[in-house]
Amino acid sequence: MPTFQDQIKDGQILLLAAIGDEQVPNTYPALLDTGAQRTMISPRVVDSTDLKAIGYAPIVGVDGKPFQAETYRTTISIPIGRGNVIVSSGGELDVVQLPFQPENFDILLGMDFLTLLHFTMYGGSFILSN
């Protein structure tokens, strides 16, 4: 079973995530957020891929204000090492576009992604596996 393990740094889980199911998918910095219900992508991801919007979804931001966000369907995986081994959500996922461009990540991995994998946090580390 493919497994990815790393350290939690400054209280955040930052890693690389791949968008798309091509032979060479695009990779982006990602923030794993157990407090987010949905996986979200930045405007930079939308601009640099061929993702097409499939509709809109109602989202409530951290400020409590609701807004409509464009929705996209894609695959998301976590590349491991230099080989082809990946931790994958196991299919397509509907993601929504963030209303702003974050400074240190382009993909916010929410609970919709995590519930498709095994996720463990312990002693300043985390493990993702299929």
Side-chain angles (χ1 to χ4, degrees), residues 87-128:
V87 173
S88 173
S89 63
E92 292 185 327
L93 190 65
D94 289 349
V95 299
V96 295
Q97 183 176 337
L98 288 160
F100 61 93
Q101 178 61 54
E103 287 184 32
N104 64 340
F105 66 90
D106 285 304
I107 301 172
L108 186 143
L109 297 169
M111 290 303 294
D112 57 343
F113 177 80
L114 282 178
T115 58
L116 302 171
L117 302 168
H118 298 280
F119 173 64
T120 305
M121 290 183 356
Y122 70 96
S125 297
F126 70 95
I127 299 172
L128 288 172

PDB file of all heavy atoms in Angstrom, residues 87-128:
ATOM      1  N   VAL A  87      -0.095   8.281  -3.610  1.00  0.00           N
ATOM      2  CA  VAL A  87      -1.265   8.137  -2.758  1.00  0.00           C
ATOM      3  C   VAL A  87      -2.356   8.905  -3.475  1.00  0.00           C
ATOM      4  O   VAL A  87      -2.182  10.071  -3.819  1.00  0.00           O
ATOM      5  CB  VAL A  87      -1.016   8.725  -1.355  1.00  0.00           C
ATOM      6  CG1 VAL A  87      -2.291   8.717  -0.539  1.00  0.00           C
ATOM      7  CG2 VAL A  87       0.075   7.954  -0.642  1.00  0.00           C
ATOM      8  N   SER A  88      -3.466   8.278  -3.759  1.00  0.00           N
ATOM      9  CA  SER A  88      -4.508   8.901  -4.564  1.00  0.00           C
ATOM     10  C   SER A  88      -5.838   8.849  -3.851  1.00  0.00           C
ATOM     11  O   SER A  88      -6.096   7.941  -3.063  1.00  0.00           O
ATOM     12  CB  SER A  88      -4.629   8.169  -5.904  1.00  0.00           C
ATOM     13  OG  SER A  88      -5.733   8.641  -6.632  1.00  0.00           O
ATOM     14  N   SER A  89      -6.688   9.828  -4.164  1.00  0.00           N
ATOM     15  CA  SER A  89      -8.036   9.828  -3.602  1.00  0.00           C
ATOM     16  C   SER A  89      -8.890   8.748  -4.257  1.00  0.00           C
ATOM     17  O   SER A  89      -9.984   8.472  -3.807  1.00  0.00           O
ATOM     18  CB  SER A  89      -8.691  11.196  -3.782  1.00  0.00           C
ATOM     19  OG  SER A  89      -8.840  11.493  -5.151  1.00  0.00           O
ATOM     20  N   GLY A  90      -8.384   8.140  -5.329  1.00  0.00           N
ATOM     21  CA  GLY A  90      -9.075   7.018  -5.941  1.00  0.00           C
ATOM     22  C   GLY A  90     -10.213   7.398  -6.859  1.00  0.00           C
ATOM     23  O   GLY A  90     -11.230   6.729  -6.895  1.00  0.00           O
ATOM     24  N   GLY A  91     -10.076   8.452  -7.575  1.00  0.00           N
ATOM     25  CA  GLY A  91     -11.108   8.844  -8.528  1.00  0.00           C
ATOM     26  C   GLY A  91     -11.248  10.345  -8.599  1.00  0.00           C
ATOM     27  O   GLY A  91     -10.464  11.091  -8.026  1.00  0.00           O
ATOM     28  N   GLU A  92     -12.270  10.760  -9.328  1.00  0.00           N
ATOM     29  CA  GLU A  92     -12.481  12.185  -9.509  1.00  0.00           C
ATOM     30  C   GLU A  92     -13.113  12.806  -8.264  1.00  0.00           C
ATOM     31  O   GLU A  92     -13.865  12.157  -7.537  1.00  0.00           O
ATOM     32  CB  GLU A  92     -13.356  12.433 -10.731  1.00  0.00           C
ATOM     33  CG  GLU A  92     -12.645  12.067 -12.018  1.00  0.00           C
ATOM     34  CD  GLU A  92     -13.467  12.427 -13.236  1.00  0.00           C
ATOM     35  OE1 GLU A  92     -14.715  12.359 -13.172  1.00  0.00           O
ATOM     36  OE2 GLU A  92     -12.841  12.763 -14.247  1.00  0.00           O
ATOM     37  N   LEU A  93     -12.789  14.067  -8.070  1.00  0.00           N
ATOM     38  CA  LEU A  93     -13.252  14.811  -6.909  1.00  0.00           C
ATOM     39  C   LEU A  93     -13.739  16.169  -7.408  1.00  0.00           C
ATOM     40  O   LEU A  93     -13.107  16.771  -8.271  1.00  0.00           O
ATOM     41  CB  LEU A  93     -12.081  14.985  -5.941  1.00  0.00           C
ATOM     42  CG  LEU A  93     -12.327  15.528  -4.555  1.00  0.00           C
ATOM     43  CD1 LEU A  93     -13.191  14.567  -3.741  1.00  0.00           C
ATOM     44  CD2 LEU A  93     -10.999  15.726  -3.833  1.00  0.00           C
ATOM     45  N   ASP A  94     -14.861  16.630  -6.893  1.00  0.00           N
ATOM     46  CA  ASP A  94     -15.328  17.969  -7.227  1.00  0.00           C
ATOM     47  C   ASP A  94     -14.666  18.953  -6.273  1.00  0.00           C
ATOM     48  O   ASP A  94     -14.807  18.839  -5.055  1.00  0.00           O
ATOM     49  CB  ASP A  94     -16.853  18.063  -7.103  1.00  0.00           C
ATOM     50  CG  ASP A  94     -17.569  17.305  -8.204  1.00  0.00           C
ATOM     51  OD1 ASP A  94     -16.907  16.884  -9.173  1.00  0.00           O
ATOM     52  OD2 ASP A  94     -18.796  17.132  -8.103  1.00  0.00           O
ATOM     53  N   VAL A  95     -13.910  19.884  -6.849  1.00  0.00           N
ATOM     54  CA  VAL A  95     -13.182  20.884  -6.062  1.00  0.00           C
ATOM     55  C   VAL A  95     -13.723  22.264  -6.417  1.00  0.00           C
ATOM     56  O   VAL A  95     -14.291  22.460  -7.488  1.00  0.00           O
ATOM     57  CB  VAL A  95     -11.661  20.808  -6.318  1.00  0.00           C
ATOM     58  CG1 VAL A  95     -11.122  19.449  -5.921  1.00  0.00           C
ATOM     59  CG2 VAL A  95     -11.316  21.109  -7.773  1.00  0.00           C
ATOM     60  N   VAL A  96     -13.546  23.213  -5.521  1.00  0.00           N
ATOM     61  CA  VAL A  96     -14.016  24.573  -5.772  1.00  0.00           C
ATOM     62  C   VAL A  96     -12.834  25.533  -5.797  1.00  0.00           C
ATOM     63  O   VAL A  96     -11.788  25.276  -5.198  1.00  0.00           O
ATOM     64  CB  VAL A  96     -15.066  25.028  -4.726  1.00  0.00           C
ATOM     65  CG1 VAL A  96     -16.330  24.211  -4.832  1.00  0.00           C
ATOM     66  CG2 VAL A  96     -14.509  24.941  -3.326  1.00  0.00           C
ATOM     67  N   GLN A  97     -13.020  26.636  -6.517  1.00  0.00           N
ATOM     68  CA  GLN A  97     -11.937  27.620  -6.635  1.00  0.00           C
ATOM     69  C   GLN A  97     -11.947  28.576  -5.456  1.00  0.00           C
ATOM     70  O   GLN A  97     -12.997  29.109  -5.084  1.00  0.00           O
ATOM     71  CB  GLN A  97     -12.069  28.412  -7.935  1.00  0.00           C
ATOM     72  CG  GLN A  97     -10.927  29.392  -8.110  1.00  0.00           C
ATOM     73  CD  GLN A  97     -10.982  30.123  -9.445  1.00  0.00           C
ATOM     74  OE1 GLN A  97     -11.572  29.647 -10.393  1.00  0.00           O
ATOM     75  NE2 GLN A  97     -10.352  31.271  -9.498  1.00  0.00           N
ATOM     76  N   LEU A  98     -10.784  28.787  -4.872  1.00  0.00           N
ATOM     77  CA  LEU A  98     -10.628  29.768  -3.808  1.00  0.00           C
ATOM     78  C   LEU A  98     -10.897  31.164  -4.367  1.00  0.00           C
ATOM     79  O   LEU A  98     -10.550  31.443  -5.519  1.00  0.00           O
ATOM     80  CB  LEU A  98      -9.207  29.724  -3.246  1.00  0.00           C
ATOM     81  CG  LEU A  98      -8.845  28.514  -2.385  1.00  0.00           C
ATOM     82  CD1 LEU A  98      -7.343  28.344  -2.301  1.00  0.00           C
ATOM     83  CD2 LEU A  98      -9.444  28.686  -1.001  1.00  0.00           C
ATOM     84  N   PRO A  99     -11.463  32.057  -3.570  1.00  0.00           N
ATOM     85  CA  PRO A  99     -11.739  33.410  -4.063  1.00  0.00           C
ATOM     86  C   PRO A  99     -10.509  34.323  -4.039  1.00  0.00           C
ATOM     87  O   PRO A  99     -10.614  35.503  -4.354  1.00  0.00           O
ATOM     88  CB  PRO A  99     -12.811  33.908  -3.095  1.00  0.00           C
ATOM     89  CG  PRO A  99     -12.532  33.176  -1.833  1.00  0.00           C
ATOM     90  CD  PRO A  99     -12.017  31.815  -2.257  1.00  0.00           C
ATOM     91  N   PHE A 100      -9.349  33.788  -3.665  1.00  0.00           N
ATOM     92  CA  PHE A 100      -8.114  34.565  -3.582  1.00  0.00           C
ATOM     93  C   PHE A 100      -6.939  33.636  -3.872  1.00  0.00           C
ATOM     94  O   PHE A 100      -7.094  32.417  -3.888  1.00  0.00           O
ATOM     95  CB  PHE A 100      -7.964  35.194  -2.190  1.00  0.00           C
ATOM     96  CG  PHE A 100      -7.894  34.161  -1.089  1.00  0.00           C
ATOM     97  CD1 PHE A 100      -6.680  33.674  -0.641  1.00  0.00           C
ATOM     98  CD2 PHE A 100      -9.058  33.659  -0.514  1.00  0.00           C
ATOM     99  CE1 PHE A 100      -6.618  32.706   0.355  1.00  0.00           C
ATOM    100  CE2 PHE A 100      -9.006  32.690   0.490  1.00  0.00           C
ATOM    101  CZ  PHE A 100      -7.774  32.218   0.917  1.00  0.00           C
ATOM    102  N   GLN A 101      -5.760  34.206  -4.084  1.00  0.00           N
ATOM    103  CA  GLN A 101      -4.549  33.430  -4.331  1.00  0.00           C
ATOM    104  C   GLN A 101      -3.716  33.385  -3.050  1.00  0.00           C
ATOM    105  O   GLN A 101      -3.134  34.387  -2.659  1.00  0.00           O
ATOM    106  CB  GLN A 101      -3.724  34.053  -5.467  1.00  0.00           C
ATOM    107  CG  GLN A 101      -2.429  33.316  -5.752  1.00  0.00           C
ATOM    108  CD  GLN A 101      -2.650  31.877  -6.182  1.00  0.00           C
ATOM    109  OE1 GLN A 101      -3.384  31.606  -7.113  1.00  0.00           O
ATOM    110  NE2 GLN A 101      -2.020  30.944  -5.495  1.00  0.00           N
ATOM    111  N   PRO A 102      -3.656  32.231  -2.351  1.00  0.00           N
ATOM    112  CA  PRO A 102      -2.833  32.130  -1.143  1.00  0.00           C
ATOM    113  C   PRO A 102      -1.344  32.289  -1.467  1.00  0.00           C
ATOM    114  O   PRO A 102      -0.910  32.003  -2.578  1.00  0.00           O
ATOM    115  CB  PRO A 102      -3.114  30.714  -0.636  1.00  0.00           C
ATOM    116  CG  PRO A 102      -4.363  30.292  -1.315  1.00  0.00           C
ATOM    117  CD  PRO A 102      -4.391  31.001  -2.630  1.00  0.00           C
ATOM    118  N   GLU A 103      -0.573  32.718  -0.474  1.00  0.00           N
ATOM    119  CA  GLU A 103       0.859  32.927  -0.673  1.00  0.00           C
ATOM    120  C   GLU A 103       1.646  31.627  -0.734  1.00  0.00           C
ATOM    121  O   GLU A 103       2.549  31.485  -1.550  1.00  0.00           O
ATOM    122  CB  GLU A 103       1.425  33.806   0.449  1.00  0.00           C
ATOM    123  CG  GLU A 103       1.019  35.239   0.349  1.00  0.00           C
ATOM    124  CD  GLU A 103       1.674  36.077   1.423  1.00  0.00           C
ATOM    125  OE1 GLU A 103       2.816  35.761   1.829  1.00  0.00           O
ATOM    126  OE2 GLU A 103       1.046  37.053   1.852  1.00  0.00           O
ATOM    127  N   ASN A 104       1.330  30.659   0.149  1.00  0.00           N
ATOM    128  CA  ASN A 104       2.214  29.496   0.273  1.00  0.00           C
ATOM    129  C   ASN A 104       1.614  28.168  -0.190  1.00  0.00           C
ATOM    130  O   ASN A 104       2.211  27.123   0.011  1.00  0.00           O
ATOM    131  CB  ASN A 104       2.729  29.367   1.709  1.00  0.00           C
ATOM    132  CG  ASN A 104       1.616  29.105   2.707  1.00  0.00           C
ATOM    133  OD1 ASN A 104       0.451  29.370   2.439  1.00  0.00           O
ATOM    134  ND2 ASN A 104       1.973  28.578   3.857  1.00  0.00           N
ATOM    135  N   PHE A 105       0.430  28.183  -0.808  1.00  0.00           N
ATOM    136  CA  PHE A 105      -0.128  26.935  -1.346  1.00  0.00           C
ATOM    137  C   PHE A 105      -1.109  27.249  -2.467  1.00  0.00           C
ATOM    138  O   PHE A 105      -1.607  28.371  -2.585  1.00  0.00           O
ATOM    139  CB  PHE A 105      -0.798  26.091  -0.253  1.00  0.00           C
ATOM    140  CG  PHE A 105      -2.022  26.716   0.361  1.00  0.00           C
ATOM    141  CD1 PHE A 105      -3.283  26.492  -0.175  1.00  0.00           C
ATOM    142  CD2 PHE A 105      -1.926  27.530   1.472  1.00  0.00           C
ATOM    143  CE1 PHE A 105      -4.412  27.065   0.385  1.00  0.00           C
ATOM    144  CE2 PHE A 105      -3.053  28.111   2.041  1.00  0.00           C
ATOM    145  CZ  PHE A 105      -4.293  27.870   1.491  1.00  0.00           C
ATOM    146  N   ASP A 106      -1.366  26.230  -3.299  1.00  0.00           N
ATOM    147  CA  ASP A 106      -2.315  26.361  -4.402  1.00  0.00           C
ATOM    148  C   ASP A 106      -3.491  25.393  -4.292  1.00  0.00           C
ATOM    149  O   ASP A 106      -4.469  25.539  -5.009  1.00  0.00           O
ATOM    150  CB  ASP A 106      -1.610  26.121  -5.746  1.00  0.00           C
ATOM    151  CG  ASP A 106      -0.758  27.304  -6.134  1.00  0.00           C
ATOM    152  OD1 ASP A 106      -1.295  28.418  -6.218  1.00  0.00           O
ATOM    153  OD2 ASP A 106       0.454  27.121  -6.355  1.00  0.00           O
ATOM    154  N   ILE A 107      -3.356  24.386  -3.441  1.00  0.00           N
ATOM    155  CA  ILE A 107      -4.434  23.420  -3.230  1.00  0.00           C
ATOM    156  C   ILE A 107      -4.664  23.300  -1.731  1.00  0.00           C
ATOM    157  O   ILE A 107      -3.717  23.127  -0.963  1.00  0.00           O
ATOM    158  CB  ILE A 107      -4.075  22.033  -3.811  1.00  0.00           C
ATOM    159  CG1 ILE A 107      -3.798  22.141  -5.305  1.00  0.00           C
ATOM    160  CG2 ILE A 107      -5.188  21.023  -3.533  1.00  0.00           C
ATOM    161  CD1 ILE A 107      -3.251  20.861  -5.923  1.00  0.00           C
ATOM    162  N   LEU A 108      -5.922  23.418  -1.324  1.00  0.00           N
ATOM    163  CA  LEU A 108      -6.296  23.200   0.068  1.00  0.00           C
ATOM    164  C   LEU A 108      -7.009  21.854   0.096  1.00  0.00           C
ATOM    165  O   LEU A 108      -8.087  21.716  -0.474  1.00  0.00           O
ATOM    166  CB  LEU A 108      -7.221  24.325   0.554  1.00  0.00           C
ATOM    167  CG  LEU A 108      -7.556  24.282   2.029  1.00  0.00           C
ATOM    168  CD1 LEU A 108      -7.621  25.706   2.563  1.00  0.00           C
ATOM    169  CD2 LEU A 108      -8.845  23.563   2.280  1.00  0.00           C
ATOM    170  N   LEU A 109      -6.370  20.863   0.685  1.00  0.00           N
ATOM    171  CA  LEU A 109      -6.932  19.509   0.744  1.00  0.00           C
ATOM    172  C   LEU A 109      -7.862  19.416   1.952  1.00  0.00           C
ATOM    173  O   LEU A 109      -7.424  19.520   3.093  1.00  0.00           O
ATOM    174  CB  LEU A 109      -5.811  18.470   0.860  1.00  0.00           C
ATOM    175  CG  LEU A 109      -4.849  18.420  -0.320  1.00  0.00           C
ATOM    176  CD1 LEU A 109      -3.635  17.558   0.010  1.00  0.00           C
ATOM    177  CD2 LEU A 109      -5.549  17.919  -1.561  1.00  0.00           C
ATOM    178  N   GLY A 110      -9.147  19.240   1.690  1.00  0.00           N
ATOM    179  CA  GLY A 110     -10.144  19.192   2.748  1.00  0.00           C
ATOM    180  C   GLY A 110     -10.532  17.765   3.120  1.00  0.00           C
ATOM    181  O   GLY A 110      -9.962  16.785   2.645  1.00  0.00           O
ATOM    182  N   MET A 111     -11.543  17.674   3.970  1.00  0.00           N
ATOM    183  CA  MET A 111     -11.986  16.373   4.460  1.00  0.00           C
ATOM    184  C   MET A 111     -12.569  15.497   3.359  1.00  0.00           C
ATOM    185  O   MET A 111     -12.513  14.273   3.467  1.00  0.00           O
ATOM    186  CB  MET A 111     -13.003  16.558   5.592  1.00  0.00           C
ATOM    187  CG  MET A 111     -12.384  17.098   6.875  1.00  0.00           C
ATOM    188  SD  MET A 111     -11.029  16.067   7.502  1.00  0.00           S
ATOM    189  CE  MET A 111     -11.906  14.589   7.939  1.00  0.00           C
ATOM    190  N   ASP A 112     -13.107  16.082   2.277  1.00  0.00           N
ATOM    191  CA  ASP A 112     -13.613  15.257   1.180  1.00  0.00           C
ATOM    192  C   ASP A 112     -12.491  14.438   0.556  1.00  0.00           C
ATOM    193  O   ASP A 112     -12.688  13.306   0.140  1.00  0.00           O
ATOM    194  CB  ASP A 112     -14.334  16.099   0.133  1.00  0.00           C
ATOM    195  CG  ASP A 112     -13.482  17.212  -0.455  1.00  0.00           C
ATOM    196  OD1 ASP A 112     -12.436  17.564   0.134  1.00  0.00           O
ATOM    197  OD2 ASP A 112     -13.882  17.757  -1.497  1.00  0.00           O
ATOM    198  N   PHE A 113     -11.270  14.974   0.523  1.00  0.00           N
ATOM    199  CA  PHE A 113     -10.094  14.240   0.036  1.00  0.00           C
ATOM    200  C   PHE A 113      -9.619  13.240   1.100  1.00  0.00           C
ATOM    201  O   PHE A 113      -9.375  12.078   0.805  1.00  0.00           O
ATOM    202  CB  PHE A 113      -8.972  15.221  -0.309  1.00  0.00           C
ATOM    203  CG  PHE A 113      -7.703  14.559  -0.759  1.00  0.00           C
ATOM    204  CD1 PHE A 113      -7.570  14.094  -2.064  1.00  0.00           C
ATOM    205  CD2 PHE A 113      -6.630  14.416   0.102  1.00  0.00           C
ATOM    206  CE1 PHE A 113      -6.396  13.485  -2.484  1.00  0.00           C
ATOM    207  CE2 PHE A 113      -5.459  13.817  -0.302  1.00  0.00           C
ATOM    208  CZ  PHE A 113      -5.340  13.344  -1.600  1.00  0.00           C
ATOM    209  N   LEU A 114      -9.513  13.714   2.342  1.00  0.00           N
ATOM    210  CA  LEU A 114      -8.966  12.865   3.413  1.00  0.00           C
ATOM    211  C   LEU A 114      -9.822  11.646   3.721  1.00  0.00           C
ATOM    212  O   LEU A 114      -9.289  10.598   4.090  1.00  0.00           O
ATOM    213  CB  LEU A 114      -8.788  13.679   4.687  1.00  0.00           C
ATOM    214  CG  LEU A 114      -7.579  14.586   4.722  1.00  0.00           C
ATOM    215  CD1 LEU A 114      -7.546  15.382   6.010  1.00  0.00           C
ATOM    216  CD2 LEU A 114      -6.307  13.783   4.561  1.00  0.00           C
ATOM    217  N   THR A 115     -11.127  11.752   3.592  1.00  0.00           N
ATOM    218  CA  THR A 115     -11.983  10.612   3.929  1.00  0.00           C
ATOM    219  C   THR A 115     -11.818   9.454   2.942  1.00  0.00           C
ATOM    220  O   THR A 115     -12.261   8.347   3.224  1.00  0.00           O
ATOM    221  CB  THR A 115     -13.462  11.010   3.989  1.00  0.00           C
ATOM    222  OG1 THR A 115     -13.860  11.561   2.739  1.00  0.00           O
ATOM    223  CG2 THR A 115     -13.720  12.003   5.110  1.00  0.00           C
ATOM    224  N   LEU A 116     -11.157   9.698   1.823  1.00  0.00           N
ATOM    225  CA  LEU A 116     -10.914   8.649   0.835  1.00  0.00           C
ATOM    226  C   LEU A 116      -9.597   7.911   1.085  1.00  0.00           C
ATOM    227  O   LEU A 116      -9.263   6.977   0.363  1.00  0.00           O
ATOM    228  CB  LEU A 116     -10.924   9.251  -0.573  1.00  0.00           C
ATOM    229  CG  LEU A 116     -12.227   9.977  -0.945  1.00  0.00           C
ATOM    230  CD1 LEU A 116     -12.057  10.722  -2.249  1.00  0.00           C
ATOM    231  CD2 LEU A 116     -13.379   9.004  -1.008  1.00  0.00           C
ATOM    232  N   LEU A 117      -8.849   8.342   2.108  1.00  0.00           N
ATOM    233  CA  LEU A 117      -7.528   7.777   2.417  1.00  0.00           C
ATOM    234  C   LEU A 117      -7.458   7.419   3.898  1.00  0.00           C
ATOM    235  O   LEU A 117      -8.356   7.719   4.673  1.00  0.00           O
ATOM    236  CB  LEU A 117      -6.429   8.810   2.114  1.00  0.00           C
ATOM    237  CG  LEU A 117      -6.361   9.347   0.692  1.00  0.00           C
ATOM    238  CD1 LEU A 117      -5.425  10.544   0.641  1.00  0.00           C
ATOM    239  CD2 LEU A 117      -5.882   8.268  -0.254  1.00  0.00           C
ATOM    240  N   HIS A 118      -6.353   6.801   4.272  1.00  0.00           N
ATOM    241  CA  HIS A 118      -6.033   6.616   5.684  1.00  0.00           C
ATOM    242  C   HIS A 118      -5.127   7.772   6.081  1.00  0.00           C
ATOM    243  O   HIS A 118      -4.117   8.020   5.427  1.00  0.00           O
ATOM    244  CB  HIS A 118      -5.300   5.285   5.920  1.00  0.00           C
ATOM    245  CG  HIS A 118      -6.117   4.097   5.553  1.00  0.00           C
ATOM    246  ND1 HIS A 118      -7.084   3.582   6.379  1.00  0.00           N
ATOM    247  CD2 HIS A 118      -6.128   3.335   4.446  1.00  0.00           C
ATOM    248  CE1 HIS A 118      -7.648   2.543   5.796  1.00  0.00           C
ATOM    249  NE2 HIS A 118      -7.089   2.375   4.613  1.00  0.00           N
ATOM    250  N   PHE A 119      -5.486   8.484   7.146  1.00  0.00           N
ATOM    251  CA  PHE A 119      -4.740   9.656   7.599  1.00  0.00           C
ATOM    252  C   PHE A 119      -4.460   9.516   9.078  1.00  0.00           C
ATOM    253  O   PHE A 119      -5.370   9.263   9.863  1.00  0.00           O
ATOM    254  CB  PHE A 119      -5.552  10.921   7.319  1.00  0.00           C
ATOM    255  CG  PHE A 119      -4.955  12.176   7.883  1.00  0.00           C
ATOM    256  CD1 PHE A 119      -3.732  12.638   7.429  1.00  0.00           C
ATOM    257  CD2 PHE A 119      -5.621  12.886   8.863  1.00  0.00           C
ATOM    258  CE1 PHE A 119      -3.184  13.803   7.946  1.00  0.00           C
ATOM    259  CE2 PHE A 119      -5.086  14.046   9.383  1.00  0.00           C
ATOM    260  CZ  PHE A 119      -3.866  14.512   8.919  1.00  0.00           C
ATOM    261  N   THR A 120      -3.188   9.673   9.459  1.00  0.00           N
ATOM    262  CA  THR A 120      -2.794   9.563  10.858  1.00  0.00           C
ATOM    263  C   THR A 120      -1.870  10.725  11.204  1.00  0.00           C
ATOM    264  O   THR A 120      -0.973  11.055  10.428  1.00  0.00           O
ATOM    265  CB  THR A 120      -2.026   8.249  11.120  1.00  0.00           C
ATOM    266  OG1 THR A 120      -2.833   7.158  10.677  1.00  0.00           O
ATOM    267  CG2 THR A 120      -1.683   8.086  12.581  1.00  0.00           C
ATOM    268  N   MET A 121      -2.100  11.346  12.361  1.00  0.00           N
ATOM    269  CA  MET A 121      -1.183  12.356  12.902  1.00  0.00           C
ATOM    270  C   MET A 121      -0.694  11.846  14.249  1.00  0.00           C
ATOM    271  O   MET A 121      -1.474  11.328  15.042  1.00  0.00           O
ATOM    272  CB  MET A 121      -1.911  13.698  13.103  1.00  0.00           C
ATOM    273  CG  MET A 121      -2.268  14.383  11.839  1.00  0.00           C
ATOM    274  SD  MET A 121      -3.049  16.033  11.978  1.00  0.00           S
ATOM    275  CE  MET A 121      -3.300  16.359  13.662  1.00  0.00           C
ATOM    276  N   TYR A 122       0.607  12.000  14.469  1.00  0.00           N
ATOM    277  CA  TYR A 122       1.155  11.611  15.768  1.00  0.00           C
ATOM    278  C   TYR A 122       2.497  12.297  15.970  1.00  0.00           C
ATOM    279  O   TYR A 122       3.280  12.450  15.035  1.00  0.00           O
ATOM    280  CB  TYR A 122       1.340  10.088  15.861  1.00  0.00           C
ATOM    281  CG  TYR A 122       2.456   9.574  14.992  1.00  0.00           C
ATOM    282  CD1 TYR A 122       3.723   9.367  15.493  1.00  0.00           C
ATOM    283  CD2 TYR A 122       2.236   9.314  13.634  1.00  0.00           C
ATOM    284  CE1 TYR A 122       4.766   8.915  14.682  1.00  0.00           C
ATOM    285  CE2 TYR A 122       3.250   8.869  12.833  1.00  0.00           C
ATOM    286  CZ  TYR A 122       4.519   8.659  13.355  1.00  0.00           C
ATOM    287  OH  TYR A 122       5.524   8.228  12.563  1.00  0.00           O
ATOM    288  N   GLY A 123       2.750  12.772  17.167  1.00  0.00           N
ATOM    289  CA  GLY A 123       4.048  13.303  17.571  1.00  0.00           C
ATOM    290  C   GLY A 123       4.729  14.225  16.571  1.00  0.00           C
ATOM    291  O   GLY A 123       5.923  14.105  16.331  1.00  0.00           O
ATOM    292  N   GLY A 124       3.992  15.124  15.952  1.00  0.00           N
ATOM    293  CA  GLY A 124       4.600  16.060  15.011  1.00  0.00           C
ATOM    294  C   GLY A 124       4.788  15.513  13.606  1.00  0.00           C
ATOM    295  O   GLY A 124       5.428  16.145  12.771  1.00  0.00           O
ATOM    296  N   SER A 125       4.226  14.337  13.318  1.00  0.00           N
ATOM    297  CA  SER A 125       4.298  13.753  11.986  1.00  0.00           C
ATOM    298  C   SER A 125       2.900  13.411  11.483  1.00  0.00           C
ATOM    299  O   SER A 125       1.947  13.402  12.249  1.00  0.00           O
ATOM    300  CB  SER A 125       5.108  12.450  12.012  1.00  0.00           C
ATOM    301  OG  SER A 125       6.433  12.699  12.383  1.00  0.00           O
ATOM    302  N   PHE A 126       2.812  13.108  10.181  1.00  0.00           N
ATOM    303  CA  PHE A 126       1.564  12.648   9.615  1.00  0.00           C
ATOM    304  C   PHE A 126       1.856  11.576   8.577  1.00  0.00           C
ATOM    305  O   PHE A 126       2.945  11.527   8.011  1.00  0.00           O
ATOM    306  CB  PHE A 126       0.743  13.787   8.992  1.00  0.00           C
ATOM    307  CG  PHE A 126       1.327  14.346   7.741  1.00  0.00           C
ATOM    308  CD1 PHE A 126       0.923  13.900   6.498  1.00  0.00           C
ATOM    309  CD2 PHE A 126       2.296  15.328   7.789  1.00  0.00           C
ATOM    310  CE1 PHE A 126       1.463  14.410   5.336  1.00  0.00           C
ATOM    311  CE2 PHE A 126       2.842  15.851   6.639  1.00  0.00           C
ATOM    312  CZ  PHE A 126       2.431  15.391   5.407  1.00  0.00           C
ATOM    313  N   ILE A 127       0.876  10.710   8.370  1.00  0.00           N
ATOM    314  CA  ILE A 127       0.982   9.619   7.377  1.00  0.00           C
ATOM    315  C   ILE A 127      -0.296   9.618   6.543  1.00  0.00           C
ATOM    316  O   ILE A 127      -1.400   9.677   7.097  1.00  0.00           O
ATOM    317  CB  ILE A 127       1.158   8.253   8.042  1.00  0.00           C
ATOM    318  CG1 ILE A 127       2.432   8.187   8.871  1.00  0.00           C
ATOM    319  CG2 ILE A 127       1.142   7.137   7.006  1.00  0.00           C
ATOM    320  CD1 ILE A 127       2.571   6.924   9.700  1.00  0.00           C
ATOM    321  N   LEU A 128      -0.144   9.538   5.223  1.00  0.00           N
ATOM    322  CA  LEU A 128      -1.248   9.313   4.298  1.00  0.00           C
ATOM    323  C   LEU A 128      -1.002   8.008   3.589  1.00  0.00           C
ATOM    324  O   LEU A 128       0.118   7.744   3.157  1.00  0.00           O
ATOM    325  CB  LEU A 128      -1.307  10.437   3.248  1.00  0.00           C
ATOM    326  CG  LEU A 128      -1.779  11.809   3.660  1.00  0.00           C
ATOM    327  CD1 LEU A 128      -1.580  12.802   2.520  1.00  0.00           C
ATOM    328  CD2 LEU A 128      -3.238  11.757   4.063  1.00  0.00           C
TER     329      LEU A 128
END
